[in-house]
């Protein structure tokens, strides 16, 4: 099974993100747009895992000691790809988010996961295979989301669509 760990969004935040995606679609000639149900911010991509690794991922999440905090998604950017760009909504720099991602990666590494190297670029993918390219970073009205939990997600292709299902949730305690 293909797994990743992500922050999910409230219905109100999803409304705002979908509005941004829909406004973006007016400026693009073609793209494959992320469906509302699939919008998330990935903290760690685990790739193909067995049952044992799934258990380890759950303990890595449960070992986190994190308090709820807010993030603000405030700009659009892109990753250039040969088959068309990935266009995303990016999070404003947040030390809490960065340390959550770092602590999670550390807990996963302690349990034997070999994670992709590279800078963490917190984002929600809005569109893939987008044309034409979109070079500049553009500010948008911020979408604010409280991060009070993270989820272990199963990624599956069903009838030609990606379907993401939460398998485990780690809630953050206020006190
Ligand atoms: P993306 O949205 O930028 O593609 C599920 O595939 C989630 O894991 C997506 O949010 C995806 O990010 C992220 N992810 C990170 N690395 C990945 C990889 N090598 N392959 C597929 N998805 C990856």
């Amino acid at each position: 099974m293909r797994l990743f760990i992500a922050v999910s969004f409230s219905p109100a935040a999803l409304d705002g993100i979908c509005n941004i995606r829909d406004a973006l679609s007016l400026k693009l000639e073609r793209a494959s747009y992320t469906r509302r149900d699939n919008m998330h911010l990935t903290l760690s991509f685990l790739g193909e895992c067995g049952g044992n690794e799934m258990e380890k991922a759950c303990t890595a999440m449960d070992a986190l000691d994190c308090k709820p905090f807010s993030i603000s998604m405030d700009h659009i950017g892109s990753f250039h790809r040969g088959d068309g760009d990935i266009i995303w909504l990016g999070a404003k720099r947040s030390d809490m988010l960065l340390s959550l991602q770092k602590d999670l990666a550390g807990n996963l590494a302690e349990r034997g996961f070999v994670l992709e190297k590279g800078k963490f670029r917190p984002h929600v993918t809005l569109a893939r295979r987008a044309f034409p390219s979109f070079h500049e970073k553009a500010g948008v009205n911020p979408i604010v989301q409280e991060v009070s939990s993270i989820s272990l997600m199963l990624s599956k292709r069903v009838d030609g669509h990606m379907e993401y299902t939460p398998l485990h949730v780690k809630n953050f305690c206020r006190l």
Side-chain angles (χ1 to χ4, degrees):
M1 58 191 142
R2 199 171 155 93
L3 301 180
F4 65 98
I5 299 172
V7 172
S8 302
F9 290 90
S10 68
L14 287 175
D15 286 346
I17 298 170
C18 287
N19 286 340
I20 292 170
R21 176 201 59 191
D22 295 346
L24 171 73
S25 73
L26 302 177
K27 298 184 186 159
L28 295 173
E29 277 175 36
R30 59 178 156 82
S32 168
Y33 295 99
T34 306
R35 291 184 298 143
R36 179 189 170 99
D37 289 351
N38 283 357
M39 287 172 167
H40 62 269
L41 184 156
T42 297
L43 293 171
S44 197
F45 179 71
L46 306 181
E48 208 51 46
C49 294
N52 192 26
E53 285 166 304
M54 188 195 116
E55 291 298 324
K56 286 184 182 165
C58 295
T59 64
M61 292 165 69
D62 292 342
L64 288 169
D65 179 20
C66 186
K67 305 278 170 274
F69 61 95
S70 287
I71 54 172
S72 174
M73 309 297 295
D74 69 350
H75 62 280
I76 291 180
S78 65
F79 297 140
H80 185 64
R81 295 285 184 276
D83 61 348
D85 292 358
I86 292 175
I87 304 187
W88 42 258
L89 179 63
K92 183 174 169 181
R93 189 195 149 89
S94 155
D95 290 337
M96 294 287 282
L97 183 63
L98 294 178
S99 54
L100 169 60
Q101 188 272 340
K102 194 162 159 258
D103 292 349
L104 177 62
N107 288 357
L108 290 164
E110 273 175 20
R111 288 161 179 81
F113 285 91
V114 180
L115 303 173
E116 286 173 357
K117 302 250 184 304
K119 191 167 179 263
F120 174 50
R121 306 277 299 272
H123 66 275
V124 176
T125 296
L126 301 174
R128 296 169 201 277
R129 295 178 292 283
F131 183 83
S133 281
F134 187 91
H135 291 299
E136 75 278 21
K137 260 193 178 179
V140 291
N141 277 338
I143 307 288
V144 176
Q145 172 66 47
E146 184 183 59
V147 180
S148 54
S149 68
I150 58 172
S151 306
L152 177 66
M153 307 293 291
L154 171 67
S155 162
K156 245 189 339 187
R157 187 170 284 279
V158 180
D159 296 334
H161 293 290
M162 294 316 291
E163 230 178 63
Y164 302 140
T165 315
L167 299 180
H168 179 71
V169 176
K170 161 70 179 173
N171 288 303
F172 299 152
C173 298
R174 264 167 223 293
L175 299 174

